[in-house]
Amino acid sequence: MIYLFFSLLFVEMVTILLLLFKTPLRKLLIIGIDRMKRGRAPLVVKSVGATVFVIMMYNVYSVTEIQSRPADSLNPTDQIILAYHMLEASLMGFSLFLSLMVDRLHHYIRELRILRKTVEAAKKQNRAAEDGKNKGADEVKILHEETSRLQSEIKKLEAEYETKVKEVKSAEANSVALKNQSEGFLLEYDRLLAENQNLRDQLRSIDECLSHSNGKKDT
């Protein structure tokens, strides 16, 4: 299960990187995502996401239940189970977040394309308006009003474009932060495994000492 989520995270991170940088693959990827969002595919994706979310909440509940026990009653097996549930919950949460990131990035890229086309069309209309200034006093007045309206629309569209770019950068920063958090959970999981192995070695050594001492008493 964990290996499956690691593979899913890798695919999602590669998808995000392809969406962030303008490459020939990004166009193909956007076309593929557009087709995936048609028909029943969104319903299937939402169902899978809801299932993963429910499993993640169960893992969170298990972690909370184990942590609520007295510290003295926790054995190494409980600690391993706790670390496993924490790792699995973090991977599920991270994968859900990255899937949301992919969806939002795809949406913002499409919005940016529409905004760019609108800005280009508005600039063309603005140039056409400026070229027709010599057609008469009334026409000049109308064209000036239309130019002002188009310029304000261009500024508004450019402001929206900058806002979308900032949101994309903020989402990328959040993705990196969650990746670092996931790596921290993996390190904690490895440390707990090492402690468990050490405890097992100590128990095995104690058992051997007891067996040796019992053998001497029988002699």
Side-chain angles (χ1 to χ4, degrees):
M1 190 73 172
I2 290 180
Y3 294 105
L4 175 63
F5 280 108
F6 272 117
S7 301
L8 178 61
L9 289 177
F10 178 76
V11 172
E12 289 174 339
M13 286 189 288
V14 171
T15 303
I16 289 174
L17 290 176
L18 291 176
L19 290 175
L20 288 176
F21 299 100
K22 190 175 181 180
T23 59
L25 292 176
R26 185 171 75 171
K27 186 176 182 181
L28 296 175
L29 183 60
I30 292 174
I31 294 174
I33 295 175
D34 288 336
R35 292 180 179 178
M36 286 177 61
K37 289 186 175 181
R38 298 173 185 172
R40 296 182 179 180
L43 181 61
V44 175
V45 172
K46 290 179 180 179
S47 301
V48 173
T51 304
V52 173
F53 180 78
V54 171
I55 297 174
M56 182 188 71
M57 294 306 298
Y58 172 76
N59 286 332
V60 172
Y61 171 77
S62 299
V63 170
T64 306
E65 193 273 332
I66 294 174
Q67 287 181 341
S68 63
R69 299 176 186 175
D72 297 336
S73 64
L74 292 179
N75 52 41
T77 302
D78 292 333
Q79 293 179 356
I80 293 175
I81 293 174
L82 175 63
Y84 180 84
H85 284 307
M86 291 177 64
L87 177 60
E88 197 172 45
S90 63
L91 291 176
M92 289 180 182
F94 193 37
S95 64
L96 289 175
F97 175 77
L98 289 183
S99 63
L100 180 62
M101 283 286 302
V102 171
D103 179 70
R104 290 295 89 194
L105 282 174
H106 172 257
H107 174 73
Y108 291 147
I109 289 172
R110 291 188 62 187
E111 289 292 328
L112 290 175
R113 286 186 175 182
I114 294 173
L115 289 174
R116 286 174 180 172
K117 291 181 180 178
T118 305
V119 169
E120 291 177 358
K123 287 181 178 179
K124 290 180 181 179
Q125 291 180 3
N126 190 19
R127 286 194 295 267
E130 290 178 353
D131 293 337
K133 286 183 179 179
N134 298 323
K135 292 183 178 180
D138 294 337
E139 293 182 357
V140 168
K141 184 178 180 181
I142 294 173
L143 289 174
H144 274 302
E145 293 176 354
E146 183 68 13
T147 300
S148 300
R149 185 184 67 81
L150 290 173
Q151 287 177 347
S152 62
E153 185 178 355
I154 289 172
K155 291 180 180 179
K156 180 179 178 181
L157 291 172
E158 289 176 347
E160 291 179 0
Y161 175 79
E162 293 176 357
T163 302
K164 298 295 184 183
V165 170
K166 290 179 181 179
E167 290 178 355
V168 170
K169 290 182 178 179
S170 176
E172 183 181 5
N174 291 332
S175 175
V176 173
L178 284 174
K179 179 181 178 182
N180 293 332
Q181 184 180 5
S182 176
E183 291 176 354
F185 281 125
L186 288 174
L187 292 175
E188 181 66 17
Y189 179 70
D190 291 337
R191 185 185 66 81
L192 290 173
L193 284 177
E195 290 181 359
N196 181 46
Q197 185 62 38
N198 188 19
L199 289 173
R200 288 182 176 178
D201 293 337
Q202 290 178 3
L203 290 173
R204 190 180 297 111
S205 177
I206 292 172
D207 289 336
E208 289 177 357
C209 290
L210 291 175
S211 300
H212 184 66
S213 61
N214 289 332
K216 287 185 176 180
K217 289 180 180 179
D218 293 336
T219 304

